[in-house]
Amino acid sequence: MGRRIKKRALVDGSPRADAVRTVHDRYWAREFRSAVLYGVLLFGALVLLDCGFARLTAVRAGWWAALAVLLLIILTPPRVSAAAGALAARGLVTHRRVRTDRLAAVRISEGVSQRVILTDTSGGRLMLDPRVLIANPLLWHQLDQGARRSLEQGTLRSGTPVLERLGRRIDGELCRGTLRASGME
């Protein structure tokens, strides 16, 4: 006997909470594996070096393991996800979330590594590497939709030029990727 699936009728036309799709950074797992690999390689190299000099003890191996774990923590990128008007970044220790449909400000930090800084009206603050948005067009789409809603509601007071520049950069990368994939570059 088959299972009977009931569909609930939507009264107000809004999507159900379980039907909303969550979008994740599709390259996070690869970067995490690389961070783990570098930690293991560092640990292995330090242990082999100590074995070569015949100075390896349990205490020294513990210190090398702690150093490898510290490298893993430093190299692990935050896992970025977007769903239902929110953008979240979960690190090994931290979890930050910002409402994209209630953005108040968007800016780019200048320096060695650029970061997109998003602030919402409730005080939530999120820093992202722009390369995450460039590599994940679906994350960018969620952010762009939320920013448009914020602009319509009047909560986004600063940062529209930043979003426009970032959008042009992402569109350019997508076009170059499409041309590269089709062999027309």
Side-chain angles (χ1 to χ4, degrees):
M1 307 232 176
R3 239 174 31 162
R4 187 179 253 180
I5 299 174
K6 293 182 181 180
K7 292 185 180 180
R8 287 187 257 166
L10 299 177
V11 177
D12 60 353
S14 63
R16 290 191 348 224
D18 58 351
V20 176
R21 190 170 150 216
T22 301
V23 180
H24 295 280
D25 179 3
R26 59 184 171 173
Y27 297 110
W28 180 84
R30 180 175 66 184
E31 292 177 13
F32 180 71
R33 281 192 300 270
S34 295
V36 169
L37 177 68
Y38 290 138
V40 168
L41 287 175
L42 177 69
F43 177 72
L46 291 173
V47 167
L48 282 176
L49 190 66
D50 258 5
C51 282
F53 289 121
R55 293 190 312 200
L56 183 66
T57 63
V59 173
R60 287 178 69 94
W63 281 108
W64 298 146
L67 189 62
V69 168
L70 180 64
L71 180 68
L72 172 70
I73 290 171
I74 291 170
L75 291 180
T76 299
R79 183 160 191 178
V80 180
S81 62
L87 198 62
R90 181 181 299 272
L92 289 177
V93 181
T94 62
H95 177 70
R96 304 236 180 217
R97 186 170 185 251
V98 69
R99 295 286 308 199
T100 56
D101 55 355
R102 293 188 216 146
L103 284 176
V106 178
R107 64 184 183 92
I108 291 188
S109 69
E110 300 301 326
V112 175
S113 65
Q114 286 188 341
R115 297 281 184 242
V116 176
I117 302 170
L118 305 166
T119 309
D120 65 11
T121 55
S122 61
R125 187 168 181 252
L126 179 66
M127 294 176 67
L128 285 175
D129 189 348
R131 292 178 294 184
V132 171
L133 296 173
I134 291 170
N136 296 284
L138 293 176
L139 283 175
W140 164 248
H141 179 69
Q142 292 283 343
L143 174 60
D144 187 45
Q145 280 185 334
R148 289 175 194 270
R149 272 186 249 122
S150 296
L151 198 56
E152 289 171 1
Q153 295 170 358
T155 59
L156 184 59
R157 292 181 287 278
S158 67
T160 52
V162 171
L163 288 171
E164 289 171 0
R165 277 195 316 260
L166 191 58
R168 283 193 300 270
R169 184 174 167 193
I170 291 170
D171 289 343
E173 288 293 324
L174 284 173
C175 288
R176 278 189 285 284
T178 303
L179 290 173
R180 202 175 304 120
S182 66
M184 297 178 72
E185 186 179 47

